[in-house]
Short mmCIF file of all heavy atoms in Angstrom, two decimals:
data_model
loop_
_atom_site.label_atom_id
_atom_site.label_comp_id
_atom_site.label_asym_id
_atom_site.label_seq_id
_atom_site.Cartn_x
_atom_site.Cartn_y
_atom_site.Cartn_z
N ILE A 21 0.83 -1.20 -0.01
CA ILE A 21 0.01 0.01 0.00
C ILE A 21 0.86 1.24 0.00
O ILE A 21 0.62 2.20 -0.73
CB ILE A 21 -0.97 -0.02 1.20
CG1 ILE A 21 -2.00 -1.11 1.00
CG2 ILE A 21 -1.63 1.34 1.39
CD1 ILE A 21 -2.88 -1.38 2.21
N TYR A 22 1.93 1.24 0.81
CA TYR A 22 2.84 2.39 0.85
C TYR A 22 3.49 2.60 -0.53
O TYR A 22 3.59 3.74 -1.03
CB TYR A 22 3.93 2.16 1.90
CG TYR A 22 4.98 3.22 1.91
CD1 TYR A 22 4.73 4.49 2.43
CD2 TYR A 22 6.24 2.98 1.36
CE1 TYR A 22 5.71 5.47 2.43
CE2 TYR A 22 7.22 3.96 1.35
CZ TYR A 22 6.95 5.20 1.90
OH TYR A 22 7.90 6.17 1.87
N GLY A 23 3.93 1.52 -1.16
CA GLY A 23 4.56 1.63 -2.48
C GLY A 23 3.62 2.19 -3.53
O GLY A 23 4.00 3.02 -4.33
N ILE A 24 2.39 1.73 -3.50
CA ILE A 24 1.39 2.23 -4.45
C ILE A 24 1.14 3.74 -4.23
O ILE A 24 1.07 4.50 -5.19
CB ILE A 24 0.09 1.43 -4.35
CG1 ILE A 24 0.30 0.00 -4.92
CG2 ILE A 24 -1.04 2.11 -5.15
CD1 ILE A 24 -0.81 -0.95 -4.68
N THR A 25 1.00 4.14 -2.99
CA THR A 25 0.74 5.56 -2.74
C THR A 25 1.92 6.42 -3.16
O THR A 25 1.71 7.54 -3.67
CB THR A 25 0.38 5.83 -1.27
OG1 THR A 25 1.44 5.35 -0.41
CG2 THR A 25 -0.91 5.19 -0.87
N VAL A 26 3.13 5.96 -2.96
CA VAL A 26 4.30 6.72 -3.38
C VAL A 26 4.32 6.87 -4.90
O VAL A 26 4.60 7.93 -5.45
CB VAL A 26 5.61 6.07 -2.87
CG1 VAL A 26 6.82 6.65 -3.57
CG2 VAL A 26 5.72 6.22 -1.39
N LEU A 27 4.03 5.76 -5.62
CA LEU A 27 4.04 5.80 -7.07
C LEU A 27 2.94 6.70 -7.62
O LEU A 27 3.14 7.39 -8.62
CB LEU A 27 3.86 4.38 -7.65
CG LEU A 27 5.08 3.47 -7.50
CD1 LEU A 27 4.73 2.06 -7.96
CD2 LEU A 27 6.26 4.00 -8.27
N VAL A 28 1.78 6.72 -6.97
CA VAL A 28 0.67 7.52 -7.45
C VAL A 28 0.92 9.00 -7.16
O VAL A 28 0.61 9.86 -8.00
CB VAL A 28 -0.64 7.04 -6.80
CG1 VAL A 28 -1.78 8.03 -7.06
CG2 VAL A 28 -1.04 5.66 -7.32
N ARG A 29 1.48 9.32 -6.02
CA ARG A 29 1.66 10.72 -5.64
C ARG A 29 2.86 11.35 -6.33
O ARG A 29 2.93 12.56 -6.47
CB ARG A 29 1.80 10.85 -4.14
CG ARG A 29 0.53 10.52 -3.39
CD ARG A 29 0.70 10.60 -1.94
NE ARG A 29 0.97 11.98 -1.57
CZ ARG A 29 1.45 12.33 -0.39
NH1 ARG A 29 1.70 11.46 0.52
NH2 ARG A 29 1.67 13.61 -0.11
N LYS A 30 3.85 10.58 -6.72
CA LYS A 30 5.11 11.12 -7.25
C LYS A 30 4.91 12.07 -8.45
O LYS A 30 5.50 13.10 -8.49
CB LYS A 30 6.06 9.99 -7.63
CG LYS A 30 7.43 10.46 -7.91
CD LYS A 30 8.42 9.32 -7.82
CE LYS A 30 9.79 9.87 -7.86
NZ LYS A 30 10.49 9.75 -6.61
N PRO A 31 4.09 11.72 -9.45
CA PRO A 31 3.95 12.67 -10.57
C PRO A 31 3.32 14.03 -10.14
O PRO A 31 3.49 15.01 -10.85
CB PRO A 31 2.98 11.94 -11.52
CG PRO A 31 3.04 10.51 -11.14
CD PRO A 31 3.37 10.48 -9.68
N PHE A 32 2.62 14.04 -9.02
CA PHE A 32 1.95 15.29 -8.62
C PHE A 32 2.84 16.15 -7.75
O PHE A 32 2.45 17.27 -7.41
CB PHE A 32 0.65 14.96 -7.90
CG PHE A 32 -0.31 14.22 -8.76
CD1 PHE A 32 -0.57 12.88 -8.59
CD2 PHE A 32 -0.99 14.90 -9.79
CE1 PHE A 32 -1.47 12.21 -9.42
CE2 PHE A 32 -1.87 14.23 -10.61
CZ PHE A 32 -2.10 12.89 -10.44
N ASP A 33 3.99 15.63 -7.31
CA ASP A 33 4.92 16.44 -6.53
C ASP A 33 5.45 17.58 -7.38
O ASP A 33 5.83 17.40 -8.53
CB ASP A 33 6.09 15.62 -6.03
CG ASP A 33 5.70 14.64 -4.94
OD1 ASP A 33 4.60 14.82 -4.36
OD2 ASP A 33 6.49 13.73 -4.67
N LYS A 34 5.46 18.78 -6.81
CA LYS A 34 5.93 19.95 -7.55
C LYS A 34 7.47 19.91 -7.57
O LYS A 34 8.10 19.86 -6.55
CB LYS A 34 5.45 21.24 -6.93
CG LYS A 34 5.84 22.45 -7.73
CD LYS A 34 5.27 23.70 -7.18
CE LYS A 34 5.72 24.83 -8.06
NZ LYS A 34 5.47 26.11 -7.52
N LYS A 35 7.99 19.92 -8.77
CA LYS A 35 9.45 19.91 -8.92
C LYS A 35 9.88 21.27 -9.42
O LYS A 35 9.32 21.78 -10.39
CB LYS A 35 9.87 18.82 -9.89
CG LYS A 35 9.54 17.44 -9.41
CD LYS A 35 9.91 16.43 -10.42
CE LYS A 35 9.52 15.04 -9.92
NZ LYS A 35 9.70 14.01 -10.87
N GLU A 36 10.85 21.85 -8.75
CA GLU A 36 11.33 23.17 -9.16
C GLU A 36 12.30 22.97 -10.32
O GLU A 36 13.12 22.05 -10.32
CB GLU A 36 12.01 23.85 -7.98
CG GLU A 36 12.35 25.28 -8.30
CD GLU A 36 12.76 26.04 -7.05
OE1 GLU A 36 12.29 25.72 -5.98
OE2 GLU A 36 13.56 26.97 -7.21
N ASP A 37 12.21 23.86 -11.23
CA ASP A 37 13.06 23.84 -12.42
C ASP A 37 14.52 24.06 -12.00
O ASP A 37 14.82 24.96 -11.20
CB ASP A 37 12.59 24.91 -13.40
CG ASP A 37 13.30 24.85 -14.74
OD1 ASP A 37 14.01 23.86 -14.96
OD2 ASP A 37 13.08 25.74 -15.52
N HIS A 38 15.42 23.23 -12.52
CA HIS A 38 16.83 23.35 -12.20
C HIS A 38 17.41 24.72 -12.63
O HIS A 38 18.22 25.30 -11.95
CB HIS A 38 17.60 22.21 -12.85
CG HIS A 38 19.04 22.19 -12.52
ND1 HIS A 38 19.52 21.96 -11.25
CD2 HIS A 38 20.13 22.38 -13.28
CE1 HIS A 38 20.83 22.01 -11.27
NE2 HIS A 38 21.23 22.26 -12.50
N SER A 39 16.94 25.18 -13.76
CA SER A 39 17.45 26.49 -14.27
C SER A 39 17.04 27.65 -13.33
O SER A 39 17.81 28.60 -13.17
CB SER A 39 16.95 26.74 -15.69
OG SER A 39 15.56 26.68 -15.74
N LEU A 40 15.88 27.53 -12.72
CA LEU A 40 15.45 28.55 -11.77
C LEU A 40 16.34 28.53 -10.52
O LEU A 40 16.69 29.62 -10.00
CB LEU A 40 13.98 28.37 -11.38
CG LEU A 40 13.35 29.46 -10.54
CD1 LEU A 40 13.46 30.81 -11.21
CD2 LEU A 40 11.91 29.12 -10.25
N GLN A 41 16.75 27.35 -10.08
CA GLN A 41 17.64 27.26 -8.94
C GLN A 41 19.00 27.86 -9.26
O GLN A 41 19.60 28.54 -8.44
CB GLN A 41 17.80 25.78 -8.53
CG GLN A 41 18.63 25.61 -7.28
CD GLN A 41 18.05 26.34 -6.09
OE1 GLN A 41 16.87 26.27 -5.83
NE2 GLN A 41 18.89 27.06 -5.36
N ILE A 42 19.50 27.63 -10.46
CA ILE A 42 20.78 28.24 -10.89
C ILE A 42 20.64 29.77 -10.88
O ILE A 42 21.55 30.47 -10.40
CB ILE A 42 21.18 27.76 -12.29
CG1 ILE A 42 21.52 26.26 -12.21
CG2 ILE A 42 22.33 28.57 -12.83
CD1 ILE A 42 21.74 25.63 -13.57
N LEU A 43 19.51 30.26 -11.36
CA LEU A 43 19.28 31.71 -11.35
C LEU A 43 19.27 32.26 -9.94
O LEU A 43 19.87 33.32 -9.67
CB LEU A 43 17.97 31.98 -12.07
CG LEU A 43 17.65 33.43 -12.47
CD1 LEU A 43 18.72 33.95 -13.39
CD2 LEU A 43 16.27 33.50 -13.10
N LYS A 44 18.63 31.57 -9.02
CA LYS A 44 18.63 32.00 -7.61
C LYS A 44 20.04 32.01 -7.02
O LYS A 44 20.40 32.92 -6.29
CB LYS A 44 17.73 31.08 -6.78
CG LYS A 44 16.24 31.24 -7.04
CD LYS A 44 15.46 30.28 -6.18
CE LYS A 44 13.97 30.40 -6.46
NZ LYS A 44 13.19 29.43 -5.66
N ASP A 45 20.81 30.99 -7.36
CA ASP A 45 22.20 30.92 -6.87
C ASP A 45 23.03 32.09 -7.41
O ASP A 45 23.81 32.69 -6.66
CB ASP A 45 22.85 29.59 -7.27
CG ASP A 45 22.23 28.41 -6.55
OD1 ASP A 45 21.57 28.59 -5.53
OD2 ASP A 45 22.44 27.27 -7.05
N ARG A 46 22.83 32.41 -8.66
CA ARG A 46 23.56 33.53 -9.26
C ARG A 46 23.22 34.89 -8.57
O ARG A 46 24.09 35.70 -8.35
CB ARG A 46 23.30 33.62 -10.76
CG ARG A 46 23.95 32.47 -11.55
CD ARG A 46 23.78 32.63 -13.01
NE ARG A 46 24.50 33.85 -13.46
CZ ARG A 46 24.23 34.46 -14.60
NH1 ARG A 46 23.31 34.00 -15.41
NH2 ARG A 46 24.92 35.52 -14.93
N LEU A 47 21.92 35.02 -8.25
CA LEU A 47 21.49 36.23 -7.53
C LEU A 47 22.14 36.29 -6.17
O LEU A 47 22.64 37.31 -5.72
CB LEU A 47 19.99 36.27 -7.43
CG LEU A 47 19.39 37.46 -6.63
CD1 LEU A 47 19.69 38.76 -7.36
CD2 LEU A 47 17.91 37.28 -6.44
N ALA A 48 22.15 35.13 -5.47
CA ALA A 48 22.71 35.07 -4.14
C ALA A 48 24.21 35.34 -4.14
O ALA A 48 24.73 35.97 -3.19
CB ALA A 48 22.42 33.72 -3.50
N LYS A 49 24.89 34.95 -5.16
CA LYS A 49 26.32 35.17 -5.27
C LYS A 49 26.69 36.60 -5.73
O LYS A 49 27.84 37.00 -5.69
CB LYS A 49 26.96 34.20 -6.28
CG LYS A 49 26.97 32.78 -5.79
CD LYS A 49 27.54 31.87 -6.86
CE LYS A 49 27.45 30.42 -6.45
NZ LYS A 49 27.92 29.52 -7.52
N GLY A 50 25.66 37.32 -6.18
CA GLY A 50 25.90 38.68 -6.65
C GLY A 50 26.33 38.76 -8.10
O GLY A 50 26.77 39.83 -8.55
N GLU A 51 26.21 37.65 -8.82
CA GLU A 51 26.59 37.65 -10.24
C GLU A 51 25.62 38.44 -11.10
O GLU A 51 25.99 38.96 -12.15
CB GLU A 51 26.70 36.22 -10.76
CG GLU A 51 27.81 35.42 -10.09
CD GLU A 51 27.83 33.96 -10.51
OE1 GLU A 51 26.98 33.57 -11.36
OE2 GLU A 51 28.68 33.22 -10.01
N ILE A 52 24.36 38.49 -10.67
CA ILE A 52 23.33 39.27 -11.40
C ILE A 52 22.59 40.13 -10.37
O ILE A 52 22.56 39.81 -9.18
CB ILE A 52 22.34 38.37 -12.15
CG1 ILE A 52 21.63 37.39 -11.22
CG2 ILE A 52 23.03 37.61 -13.30
CD1 ILE A 52 20.55 36.57 -11.89
N ASP A 53 21.99 41.23 -10.86
CA ASP A 53 21.22 42.05 -9.95
C ASP A 53 19.75 41.62 -9.94
O ASP A 53 19.37 40.72 -10.70
CB ASP A 53 21.37 43.54 -10.32
CG ASP A 53 20.83 43.85 -11.70
OD1 ASP A 53 20.29 42.97 -12.37
OD2 ASP A 53 21.00 45.02 -12.12
N GLU A 54 18.96 42.26 -9.13
CA GLU A 54 17.56 41.88 -8.95
C GLU A 54 16.77 42.06 -10.22
O GLU A 54 15.89 41.23 -10.55
CB GLU A 54 16.93 42.65 -7.79
CG GLU A 54 15.61 42.08 -7.36
CD GLU A 54 15.12 42.72 -6.07
OE1 GLU A 54 15.89 43.39 -5.38
OE2 GLU A 54 13.93 42.50 -5.79
N LYS A 55 17.04 43.15 -10.97
CA LYS A 55 16.30 43.39 -12.22
C LYS A 55 16.55 42.26 -13.22
O LYS A 55 15.64 41.71 -13.84
CB LYS A 55 16.65 44.74 -12.81
CG LYS A 55 15.87 45.01 -14.09
CD LYS A 55 16.29 46.32 -14.71
CE LYS A 55 15.53 46.64 -15.97
NZ LYS A 55 15.03 45.55 -16.79
N GLU A 56 17.84 41.91 -13.37
CA GLU A 56 18.17 40.86 -14.32
C GLU A 56 17.58 39.51 -13.86
O GLU A 56 17.07 38.74 -14.66
CB GLU A 56 19.69 40.71 -14.44
CG GLU A 56 20.13 39.75 -15.51
CD GLU A 56 21.63 39.70 -15.70
OE1 GLU A 56 22.36 40.50 -15.02
OE2 GLU A 56 22.09 38.91 -16.52
N TYR A 57 17.59 39.28 -12.54
CA TYR A 57 16.96 38.07 -11.98
C TYR A 57 15.49 38.01 -12.34
O TYR A 57 15.00 36.99 -12.82
CB TYR A 57 17.16 38.02 -10.45
CG TYR A 57 16.32 36.97 -9.80
CD1 TYR A 57 16.75 35.65 -9.79
CD2 TYR A 57 15.12 37.28 -9.17
CE1 TYR A 57 15.99 34.66 -9.19
CE2 TYR A 57 14.37 36.29 -8.57
CZ TYR A 57 14.79 34.98 -8.56
OH TYR A 57 14.04 34.02 -7.97
N ASN A 58 14.76 39.11 -12.10
CA ASN A 58 13.34 39.12 -12.37
C ASN A 58 13.02 38.96 -13.86
O ASN A 58 12.06 38.28 -14.24
CB ASN A 58 12.71 40.43 -11.82
CG ASN A 58 12.64 40.42 -10.32
OD1 ASN A 58 12.51 39.39 -9.69
ND2 ASN A 58 12.75 41.58 -9.73
N ASP A 59 13.85 39.58 -14.73
CA ASP A 59 13.64 39.44 -16.17
C ASP A 59 13.83 38.00 -16.60
O ASP A 59 13.00 37.44 -17.31
CB ASP A 59 14.62 40.36 -16.92
CG ASP A 59 14.34 41.83 -16.71
OD1 ASP A 59 13.22 42.17 -16.27
OD2 ASP A 59 15.23 42.64 -17.02
N LYS A 60 14.92 37.38 -16.16
CA LYS A 60 15.20 36.00 -16.55
C LYS A 60 14.20 35.04 -15.95
O LYS A 60 13.82 34.04 -16.55
CB LYS A 60 16.63 35.63 -16.18
CG LYS A 60 17.66 36.37 -17.00
CD LYS A 60 19.07 35.95 -16.61
CE LYS A 60 20.12 36.79 -17.29
NZ LYS A 60 20.43 36.40 -18.66
N ARG A 61 13.77 35.32 -14.72
CA ARG A 61 12.79 34.48 -14.05
C ARG A 61 11.47 34.50 -14.81
O ARG A 61 10.82 33.48 -15.02
CB ARG A 61 12.58 34.93 -12.62
CG ARG A 61 11.61 34.10 -11.84
CD ARG A 61 11.58 34.55 -10.36
NE ARG A 61 10.53 33.90 -9.67
CZ ARG A 61 9.31 34.42 -9.49
NH1 ARG A 61 9.02 35.65 -9.91
NH2 ARG A 61 8.37 33.73 -8.84
#
């Protein structure tokens, strides 16, 4: 029952885009400013 529920719920889990995470990291490191972050986001 646990295995079935995990398999059924997995496609509905929200996955964050990897490129968005890279963009957040660049903002945190100061490589881009907030305006550039918002535009690219």
Side-chain angles (χ1 to χ4, degrees):
I21 291 170
Y22 174 75
I24 290 171
T25 56
V26 167
L27 288 175
V28 168
R29 292 179 65 196
K30 192 162 190 110
F32 298 106
D33 288 344
K34 185 176 180 190
K35 296 178 183 173
E36 188 168 331
D37 189 8
H38 183 66
S39 55
L40 187 58
Q41 184 59 46
I42 292 172
L43 193 60
K44 288 179 182 178
D45 291 343
R46 289 185 64 200
L47 177 65
K49 291 177 185 177
E51 294 175 1
I52 59 174
D53 62 4
E54 193 171 347
K55 181 184 181 330
E56 187 176 358
Y57 168 80
N58 288 329
D59 293 343
K60 291 180 187 279
R61 182 175 171 264

